[in-house]
Amino acid sequence: MSSPGETKRRLDMDELLGMGFSDDLASQALAATASSAGCPSVEAAANWILSRTPQSSPPNPSSQSNLWRFLLPRPADLREPRPPPLSSSTPPSKRLKPSPSSLSPLSDRMRPSTLDLILGQDHLLSPSSLLHSAFSFSGGPLPSLLLWGPPGSGKTSLSRALAASLPSHRFIPLSAVTATVTDLRRAIDEARRSRSLTRTILFVDEIHRFSKTQQDALLPAIEDGSIIFLGATTENPSFHLTNPLLSRLRVLALRPLQPHHIRSLLLRAVDTDRGLRLSTDGAPISIDDEALNFLSRHCDGDARIALNSLEASAFLAVNRISAAAAAADKPLTITATDAKEAMQCKHVSYDRDGDEHYNLISALHKSMRGGDADAAIYWLARMLEGGEQPLYIARRLVRFAGEDVGLADPAALGHAVACYQACHFIGMPECDVCLAQCVAYLSLAPKSVAVYKALNAAKMAVRESVGGNEGVPLHLRNAPTKMMKEMGYGDGYLYPPDHPQLSKEQNYMPESLKGRKFLQWPPLDVQPL
């Protein structure tokens, strides 16, 4: 087995050979730099080679060094022409503009850089809030935070604005989609080495995608203050983050943006130099009120959806303009037609595996339980428009029919099962009316949880039995063999068809539960129509 020094020298040798240096030259460089540094580096060896090679002449062809085409001066006729510097007197039409393909999306360019530009999160940025009083406003330290909110609510923007409010701190952004444990440890090591000079803010986007091992790698650095951690997630932290990590963070919930917040962001994008003017190569552009209202009301509180739809609307408006209008420098106007074409359809915030999935099915259940058919159908529509699987909803309706309607309307269970079969047969979108009919039926049906309560009470009796559950009484046991009959199996059992009156007084419970009532029927909680 080779020593660590030999392994490093071999790797350095391979790297120098990859640069185009010969074997002899690379070996000489590593040997020469080893005496002074003890552990030579590739950079030192490359500098040693270059310092001993005449720069006035081309490199030795035998070395095939690729570094020379980067290090040697380029001939004047091969140099790329530099654009002339812009001055305030240069006409806008003559100024060089970056290609739209090289620009980042409008939603990224319009990301707020300071806290006072963030909209819709007043509960987090008010004078009495944690963020306002915890750090730079009062001179205190910024605590480690977890920002939880729906997409497009400003989690990343808020994190970057917080870091910008602390210019003495270093900001390291990572994404849990691509970062590994090695990336985390490298960032933490850098933070610890520079801690005496500056604090480090480590931001991890989509933190819910980290495994338990990756989340555990953050714990020591947060615990000892080596880093100030900022995380962002769209998923419920209670389900996706470990308890040790949550105990070290303060969770801040961001809210979806309201239409008037979205409207302000869109107007800011139209009026700002880094906004739509970059997307349209500097052409003047405006937006009419109808298009503004449409975009702000159909993005479901997602600023990213609204801004990117605005940019797409601007492209459509540019394509509409005539050559004569372009020559006359006539301002472009984004119309409602452009906005509707760009949006295509209303964006509905829904995640079949996330919090919104469970929130909506809970709202559907509670609306049916309360007898509000209108609300129940509304929540059903929200789920269907969000792309929920119809069979999932149908299964929940079957459960509801047994749990909440029960014996008050025994036909409800058959109705729910028939609804499930109909959804299975025809699928979406045709089965939507079957679901709506079943939801309306269950909402208007009388309700009883007598069976549900009886089952839970019986389960409790089974769990709480002292010394184990009693055996089945002998008179309730079958006696298929002679030996079992001799042991008393079945003795004293009264067959109900032959003894209709006496069989009612027969005990069917274990002796310790004799006379115990689990099902209260008829109950007092039946709700008639």
Side-chain angles (χ1 to χ4, degrees):
M1 181 180 294
S2 59
S3 64
E6 294 176 350
T7 302
K8 184 181 186 306
R9 189 180 188 285
R10 186 169 59 253
L11 293 175
D12 292 345
M13 187 74 176
D14 292 341
E15 192 166 348
L16 289 172
L17 294 177
M19 293 180 184
F21 298 122
S22 65
D23 290 342
D24 294 340
L25 201 56
S27 299
Q28 292 175 17
L30 291 175
T33 55
S35 59
S36 59
C39 185
S41 66
V42 175
E43 182 180 358
N47 289 334
W48 184 90
I49 296 173
L50 297 177
S51 64
R52 282 155 179 76
T53 306
Q55 297 190 14
S56 59
S57 61
N60 187 354
S62 63
S63 69
Q64 298 294 319
S65 176
N66 294 324
L67 293 176
W68 287 98
R69 60 192 181 99
F70 300 105
L71 299 177
L72 288 180
R74 300 180 60 187
D77 56 341
L78 295 180
R79 293 175 185 169
E80 297 177 359
R82 294 184 179 180
L86 297 179
S87 64
S88 57
S89 60
T90 306
S93 59
K94 299 297 183 180
R95 297 188 181 187
L96 295 176
K97 305 180 182 69
S99 170
S101 61
S102 66
L103 299 173
S104 57
L106 179 63
S107 59
D108 186 66
R109 301 200 306 271
M110 293 306 301
R111 193 181 297 279
S113 56
T114 59
L115 291 174
D116 56 354
L117 292 178
I118 293 178
L119 300 176
Q121 309 302 335
D122 295 340
H123 63 294
L124 299 180
L125 300 173
S126 63
S128 60
S129 67
L130 170 68
L131 292 181
H132 194 282
S133 59
F135 66 114
S136 62
F137 297 102
S138 58
L142 176 66
S144 291
L145 303 172
L146 179 67
L147 305 179
W148 171 34
S153 57
K155 300 181 295 297
T156 303
S157 298
L158 179 56
S159 299
R160 293 181 179 274
L162 287 172
S165 300
L166 299 170
S168 62
H169 289 48
R170 191 172 56 140
F171 183 70
I172 301 180
L174 293 177
S175 174
V177 178
T178 57
T180 63
V181 174
T182 303
D183 297 326
L184 282 178
R185 289 174 177 167
R186 183 183 300 114
I188 292 172
D189 289 341
E190 292 176 2
R192 284 175 171 157
R193 285 194 298 268
S194 61
R195 184 175 180 181
S196 60
L197 301 175
T198 181
R199 296 293 303 278
T200 298
I201 300 175
L202 176 62
F203 171 68
V204 179
D205 200 8
E206 307 293 340
I207 181 65
H208 60 272
R209 293 185 178 273
F210 268 172
S211 65
K212 184 178 182 296
T213 301
Q214 290 170 306
Q215 294 183 37
D216 289 346
L218 293 166
L219 300 181
I222 299 176
E223 182 73 22
D224 63 19
S226 297
I227 61 171
I228 298 172
F229 179 76
L230 297 180
T233 179
T234 57
E235 304 294 337
N236 192 323
S238 301
F239 302 132
H240 294 271
L241 268 68
T242 62
N243 288 332
L245 181 58
L246 284 177
S247 70
R248 290 163 172 80
L249 305 177
R250 302 185 188 183
V251 180
L252 302 182
L254 280 74
R255 299 169 182 170
L257 301 185
Q258 297 300 312
H260 66 278
H261 298 136
I262 300 292
R263 183 185 178 93
S264 299
L265 290 175
L266 296 177
L267 288 173
R268 186 187 298 172
V270 172
D271 297 335
T272 306
D273 289 339
R274 71 176 188 274
L276 284 184
R277 294 175 190 173
L278 283 180
S279 303
T280 59
D281 284 347
I285 193 165
S286 63
I287 183 171
D288 64 29
D289 200 60
E290 186 179 357
L292 202 59
N293 289 334
F294 179 84
L295 291 175
S296 61
R297 294 179 181 277
H298 286 75
C299 63
D300 214 20
D302 190 327
R304 186 180 295 106
I305 293 291
L307 289 169
N308 289 339
S309 297
L310 175 66
E311 188 171 34
S313 303
F315 293 151
L316 292 171
V318 170
N319 292 333
R320 277 193 300 102
I321 193 171
S322 63
D329 285 337
K330 184 178 180 180
L332 301 174
T333 300
I334 298 174
T335 64
T337 302
D338 298 325
K340 291 176 182 177
E341 179 65 20
M343 183 73 74
Q344 291 293 316
C345 63
K346 177 179 173 62
H347 174 72
V348 179
S349 177
Y350 188 73
D351 185 354
R352 288 190 298 181
D353 296 323
D355 261 16
E356 200 65 10
H357 164 83
Y358 297 104
N359 291 340
L360 289 179
I361 195 62
S362 176
L364 175 62
H365 269 232
K366 289 178 172 63
S367 298
M368 291 191 298
R369 185 177 295 146
D372 192 335
D374 298 296
I377 291 177
Y378 167 77
W379 296 119
L380 171 67
R382 282 276 298 270
M383 297 184 76
L384 293 177
E385 287 298 308
E388 183 57 77
Q389 295 292 338
L391 290 181
Y392 168 78
I393 302 175
R395 286 194 297 270
R396 302 312 304 164
L397 297 182
V398 173
R399 167 69 185 192
F400 182 89
E403 177 183 337
D404 287 274
V405 178
L407 293 177
D409 184 0
L413 184 57
H415 192 98
V417 171
C419 174
Y420 179 89
Q421 292 174 335
C423 293
H424 180 71
F425 290 154
I426 61 178
M428 284 292 288
E430 289 83 0
C431 73
D432 56 354
V433 69
C434 302
L435 289 169
Q437 177 183 339
C438 186
V439 164
Y441 182 96
L442 296 177
S443 298
L444 299 175
K447 309 295 192 303
S448 172
V449 293
V451 173
Y452 177 68
K453 289 182 176 180
L455 178 60
N456 287 338
K459 289 180 178 178
M460 186 64 68
V462 171
R463 297 188 191 106
E464 293 179 349
S465 59
V466 179
N469 293 291
E470 294 181 58
V472 177
L474 289 177
H475 68 283
L476 296 180
R477 302 184 187 187
N478 285 332
T481 67
K482 179 180 179 181
M483 184 191 72
M484 297 171 74
K485 290 180 181 179
E486 292 175 350
M487 294 177 64
Y489 282 39
D491 284 354
Y493 174 66
L494 300 177
Y495 186 53
D498 295 340
H499 308 277
Q501 297 300 326
L502 295 178
S503 64
K504 293 180 180 180
E505 300 176 2
Q506 187 169 226
N507 178 40
Y508 295 95
M509 282 281 200
E511 193 63 29
S512 62
L513 296 177
K514 186 175 181 179
R516 178 79 173 269
K517 291 288 186 182
F518 294 112
L519 178 63
Q520 306 297 328
W521 192 262
L524 300 176
D525 62 345
V526 174
Q527 303 173 9
L529 288 172

